[in-house]
Structure formats: C-alpha cells, structure tokens
Amino acid sequence: MGGVFDPIHCGHLFTAEEARVEFKLDKVIFVPCRQPAHKRENDISAPEDRYLMTVLATSNNQFFEVSKVELNRPGLSYSIDTVKEFLKKYNHRVKIFFITGADAFLEVDSWYKSEELIKLCQFVAATRPGYDLNKLDEKFKKIIKIMEIPALSISSTDIRRRVREGKNIKYLLPQEVEEYIYKKGLYRKM
Ligand code: NAP
C-alpha cells in the first residue's frame, strides 16, 4: 500500500483491511514514499515523522507491516523499483497488489516505466463513493480493481488544514497519531 501518509488516517487503515479481506491477502505492507515523483520535498513532512506515524497507526493489526524500502532509497520514489524489490525479497513467489488512492492512478500513464509496472502487479484503486470513475483512462479502467471506501471522505489534506486552524481531528485518525502530531507540532504552519 503506497502513499505519502502525511498523516496516515482511518480511511487508509480501513482501505488496507478491506483490501486484505476482499483479495485474501497474507498481509498489507504500508510503504510511505520518501519523495513522491510529483511533489516537492518541502511540501511534505519529514520521512521519519510519516514513517513513525504509520508504525503507530498499524501496530495493533497483526497483518499490517510498514516498510522503509522507499525511505531508505535515495531520490524520487518510483513504484516500479519498490515492486521489484518486494518480488526479489519473496523470490518472485508472490502476487503483489499495489493499493493506493484512485486519484493517484489518474496519472499512471506518466509514471516511470508504467507499462512494465502494470505487468508486475495488480493495481487496486481506493475511492470514495460517488467518485467519477470516468476520470480513469479506459485502458487502465479494465485492469484496475476499484474499491469504494466510505471512510475515504477522510483525507490527509483536510486533517492538516484542521490542525492548522486549531480544529478537532479526534476519531479521524488513531489516537497515537493524533498525539504524535501535537507532540511534534506538525502541520501548524503548512
Ligand atoms: P497523492 O496525489 O498524494 O494522493 C492522491 C489521492 O489518493 C489523495 O486523495 C489521497 O488521499 C489518496 N491516497 C493516497 N494514498 C492512499 C492510500 N494508500 N489509500 C487510500 N487513499 C490514498 O498520491 P501519492 O500518495 O503521492 O501517491 C500514491 C502512490 O502512488 C505512492 O505509493 C506513490 O509512490 C505512487 N506514485 C508513483 C509514481 C511513479 O512511480 N512515478 C508517481 C506517482 C505516484 P490522502 O491524501 O488522504 O492520502
């Protein structure tokens, strides 16, 4: 499961659990990206903060893991490098489901080596109900599995805005993550 996770929230966690059950996955590995290929480094929180929040949020689910594979790899985070690393780790004896938000897949055509990536894993796009699926390219609509997740009306952008405006974020994300945000003073000025 790829994402920036700035911060991780209940929508991401519900998506992961739903995908695990629906696709009978052995586990879900959360992979916070170091620097997404399409964002500036200073637009997002420090990799270590995003990693720690992801660990805090997932620690009570025995099927969830967090990987530092992208955080440890210098430069831009390309999904193809990550998928290849996992295939190598598991001796190519696994089927990989690449789960992320549907909006992220809108530009998949422009991702680094996207044609090769498509052949290496099954894409799973998580959307909120009412999302206009026509936004997805016809070519990809046929091969991407779509999951409608009501909890995805929660968004990291909205949580960051709420913190900045001094509004409540309780229950939108795990308590441990909420406490971490306040302890480290994240999102006050973003
Ligand atoms: P994004 O533009 O930050 O997010 C797009 C939308 O998807 C947002 O609404 C976001 O909501 C949601 N989303 C993101 N991750 C999600 C998840 N795991 N579950 C459910 N919803 C999710 O996209 P991004 O996070 O930067 O990229 C997503 C993944 O695609 C990452 O793994 C990234 O490395 C990969 N990617 C790869 C390439 C490439 O290889 N060239 C290029 C672009 C993206 P929230 O803000 O609430 O999360």
Side-chain angles (χ1 to χ4, degrees):
M1 183 173 205
V4 181
F5 302 126
D6 191 23
I8 189 163
H9 53 67
C10 295
H12 298 131
L13 295 167
F14 186 86
T15 301
E17 184 62 9
E18 189 76 346
R20 184 184 76 75
V21 173
E22 186 168 335
F23 302 113
K24 301 183 173 59
L25 309 179
D26 294 319
K27 57 182 164 185
V28 178
I29 307 173
F30 289 72
V31 185
C33 37
R34 181 188 177 86
Q35 194 192 341
H38 58 306
K39 285 189 186 131
R40 287 197 318 251
E41 200 166 359
N42 49 1
D43 284 345
I44 54 175
S45 303
E48 198 60 18
D49 284 330
R50 294 182 290 109
Y51 170 74
L52 288 174
M53 287 190 283
T54 309
V55 170
L56 287 170
T58 54
S59 62
N60 64 357
N61 186 319
Q62 59 168 320
F63 299 107
F64 288 176
E65 282 178 17
V66 187
S67 168
K68 272 190 153 179
V69 63
E70 291 193 359
L71 300 179
N72 289 339
R73 200 168 58 222
L76 299 175
S77 298
Y78 293 121
S79 302
I80 184 123
D81 298 334
T82 305
V83 169
K84 280 185 174 172
E85 267 192 73
F86 281 119
L87 284 170
K88 193 169 157 204
K89 180 176 175 189
Y90 295 107
N91 297 319
H92 294 261
R93 291 201 186 125
V94 287
K95 178 166 179 188
I96 293 186
F97 289 69
F98 181 80
I99 311 160
T100 196
D103 276 339
F105 281 124
L106 290 181
E107 286 161 19
V108 68
D109 234 352
S110 66
W111 290 15
Y112 183 55
K113 296 189 179 173
S114 61
E115 294 292 333
E116 190 184 347
L117 177 65
I118 290 161
K119 292 183 191 129
L120 295 179
C121 59
Q122 169 65 59
F123 285 159
V124 179
T127 72
R128 49 189 68 89
Y131 183 86
D132 181 8
L133 291 172
N134 290 323
K135 286 203 263 176
L136 285 170
D137 188 292
E138 277 305 318
K139 180 172 66 169
F140 293 113
K141 230 191 283 177
K142 283 190 212 124
I143 52 168
I144 295 178
K145 293 201 186 291
I146 312 277
M147 289 199 318
E148 273 205 356
I149 307 286
L152 277 181
S153 51
I154 301 172
S155 83
S156 301
T157 309
D158 182 52
I159 291 172
R160 293 195 300 272
R161 183 186 54 78
R162 285 177 159 273
V163 173
R164 194 175 57 238
E165 295 174 359
K167 290 188 173 153
N168 168 47
I169 55 168
K170 199 177 268 300
Y171 307 124
L172 297 176
L173 68 186
Q175 189 179 337
E176 295 82 353
V177 179
E178 182 190 350
E179 286 166 2
Y180 185 92
I181 289 170
Y182 292 135
K183 182 175 158 194
K184 297 294 294 280
L186 301 182
Y187 312 131
R188 282 195 199 143
K189 292 192 199 116
M190 284 178 93

